[in-house]
Amino acid sequence: MNHISLRAAAPPPGRVSTVCVVGAGYVGLTAAACLAALGHRVHCLERDAEQVARLRRGQVPIYEPGLDQLLADGLRSDRLRFTTEAREAVPGATVAMLCVGTPPRPDGRPDLRQLAAAATEVAAAATGDLVLAVKSTVPPGTGEALELLAALSAAPGCRVDVVSNPEFLRESQAIDDFFEPDRVVIGADEPEPAEAVADLYPPSWPMLRCDRRSAELVKCASNAFLAMKISFANEIAGLCERVGADAVPVLAGVGMDHRIGSSFLGHGPGFGGSCLGKDLSGLIATAESVGFDPALSRAARDVNAWARRRVVDRLAALLGPLAGRRVAVLGLAFKPGTDDVRDSPALAVVQGLLDQGADVSTYDPVASAPALAHLQRDDPYLAARGAEVVVVATAWPEFATLDPVTLAGSMDGHLVLDLVGSLPPAATAAAGLELSTLGRGTPDTFHPVVVAPLEWCLDAALS
Ligand code: UGA
């Protein structure tokens, strides 16, 4: 991916910084590799020694297009180093970027313990003034809490400021998102630490500077809005099924309004991944903790739970009782382009089918789920062998080019439930397969939905 390296303009002289990036997970590793490509000296601090050893050898532990190339470039230029030791990573750095996980607790509140530990460890290792830039998604007010903790462990004379600099990367497009951000958000209550963080990015990038609590909320609110858009699309898709309409043109028409926009209006089995659901729950927990009713966010979460449930309900409506029925599920990843199965709608479908006693086989081109390894097959046609129904649950491009004749030949039945609109309808039908999709009702003239307007028309005509 040379275009990425080329596009990564080096910062102007005097703007090269030494940065410590804490955490070499998906956000931290991407940020570290991209900052090094921008010309900064990056010390990536990761507590997992095996992970550090692999990264030093140039091995990327996650599936993220283009990241291996940037890692190789960073190692070769020596602008990117990995260590398990804070005393090697922190001294000399002006900014320490905290990119550790803030996973949800069972009650929806984020677990901030890794973040607190990172802030404490880094502050203790600082040999001069240091700015902590929080990339991890956190509730408003976390910056103040971290600043207090850092002040307790910093050496006398070392000042530690905390700036909110939330991350908006999407898995599978993380590199492009880093180099072409819609916005870089910098939230600080003092100008100097904000400047130190802003200096890490090219000045031409769109920047929003604000207070720290507002910056913290931008991230949660953005993900909650994306979740709401998807839940809205799924609600409209459910309504389309009932009124004999087709969600594809309906949502296309809605999205063509530039005030609304077409992205994140794709209907399907609901949203998943490690972020949207977590941040929606985080927003709800934050609102509830201050006595505010987050009605829209709660509704978005409820609709998502319904969007997942209804897949198994649909299969039961099509097949009858699911116990012992052979079902092949194509796709396990929470979206195409990633091996991540966290909170994956596809996995929820598999689990829902297993709960009903169905006999399930699965296939995914990249992802796997250790607990379901015994169900996984090496190619989609093997997964479909003997199946009464094939469910397409992740929109991998390769599913759009499946050979429907071979698929039909592998199956025992002829039903395909395409949750993500991947399969070409005409070719699928020509192979003798019955294609069922979400969001599409039968537009018969005497559909119940016609009765009410007909009555209203007749009322007007007779009065
Ligand atoms: C999301 C946000 O898009 C990023 O901006 C954010 O930085 C990231 O979370 C994060 O907080 O770290 P990501 O989780 O990688 O990124 O995935 P998305 O591309 O947002 O997709 C999330 C889910 O929504 C997937 O299950 C996807 O299939 C689903 N989706 C997306 C739909 O069901 N319909 C759509 O129209 C779009």
Side-chain angles (χ1 to χ4, degrees), residues 52-397:
V52 166
R54 276 197 298 270
L55 288 165
R56 283 177 176 164
R57 290 196 296 270
Q59 294 166 356
V60 178
I62 49 173
Y63 180 81
E64 184 62 47
L67 192 52
D68 47 357
Q69 179 66 58
L70 284 189
L71 174 63
D73 291 349
L75 291 171
R76 201 177 313 113
S77 63
D78 199 30
R79 285 203 290 261
L80 182 53
R81 296 178 182 184
F82 294 91
T83 175
T84 54
E85 299 298 323
R87 63 172 192 278
E88 286 174 14
V90 179
T94 44
V95 176
M97 242 175 211
L98 306 187
C99 305
V100 296
T102 51
R105 293 174 190 257
D107 65 0
R109 285 182 304 145
D111 181 344
L112 300 177
R113 283 176 295 185
Q114 288 181 58
L115 197 59
T120 309
E121 183 185 15
V122 166
T127 50
D129 292 351
L130 183 66
V131 176
L132 302 186
V134 182
K135 283 251 165 237
S136 314
T137 303
V138 295
T142 304
E144 276 101 318
L146 293 178
E147 214 161 67
L148 285 173
L149 287 175
L152 290 176
S153 37
C158 293
R159 174 181 162 158
V160 181
D161 288 288
V162 176
V163 172
S164 169
N165 179 215
E167 191 49 77
F168 298 97
L169 307 178
R170 286 166 297 176
E171 287 186 33
S172 80
Q173 281 152 289
I175 311 281
D176 285 345
D177 284 349
F178 187 93
F179 287 118
E180 285 164 19
D182 286 337
R183 73 296 207 195
V184 174
V185 176
I186 297 183
D189 297 335
E190 302 287 340
E192 294 87 11
E195 246 9 83
V197 178
D199 275 353
L200 299 178
Y201 303 101
S204 57
W205 288 8
M207 232 168 253
L208 174 77
R209 292 168 189 255
C210 58
D211 64 280
R212 193 168 47 195
R213 284 191 202 175
S214 300
E216 289 168 336
L217 205 47
V218 170
K219 173 62 191 280
C220 260
S222 299
N223 274 358
F225 189 80
L226 294 173
M228 265 181 238
K229 261 189 118 174
I230 298 168
S231 279
F232 177 79
N234 284 325
E235 183 167 296
I236 294 298
L239 184 61
C240 284
E241 290 174 9
R242 294 297 179 93
V243 303
D246 182 352
V248 173
V250 171
L251 292 165
V254 171
M256 283 167 84
D257 185 325
H258 74 276
R259 294 168 302 176
I260 297 172
S262 57
S263 59
F264 279 71
L265 278 184
H267 67 287
F271 57 79
S274 63
C275 306
L276 261 48
K278 177 190 83 137
D279 292 351
L280 194 58
S281 295
L283 192 82
I284 294 169
T286 297
E288 287 173 346
S289 73
V290 291
F292 182 78
D293 178 21
L296 269 177
S297 300
R298 250 189 298 104
R301 189 169 65 179
D302 293 348
V303 170
N304 200 50
W306 162 81
R308 289 170 173 216
R309 265 196 324 271
R310 79 174 171 136
V311 175
V312 176
D313 292 349
R314 166 72 77 87
L315 283 168
L318 290 167
L319 295 178
L322 295 170
R325 315 299 289 269
R326 282 276 296 116
V327 184
V329 177
L330 303 187
L332 291 174
F334 82 95
K335 64 173 183 179
T338 176
D339 61 352
D340 195 342
V341 296
R342 284 176 290 174
D343 198 27
S344 167
L347 276 193
V349 169
V350 172
Q351 195 53 57
L353 288 167
L354 293 174
D355 291 346
Q356 301 280 320
D359 178 5
V360 183
S361 55
T362 68
Y363 166 77
D364 190 287
V366 175
S368 57
L372 303 175
H374 58 294
L375 307 179
Q376 208 158 341
R377 305 289 176 265
D378 289 338
D379 83 58
Y381 306 109
L382 272 180
R385 186 175 287 170
E388 289 176 72
V389 55
V390 167
V391 180
V392 183
T394 308
W396 282 104

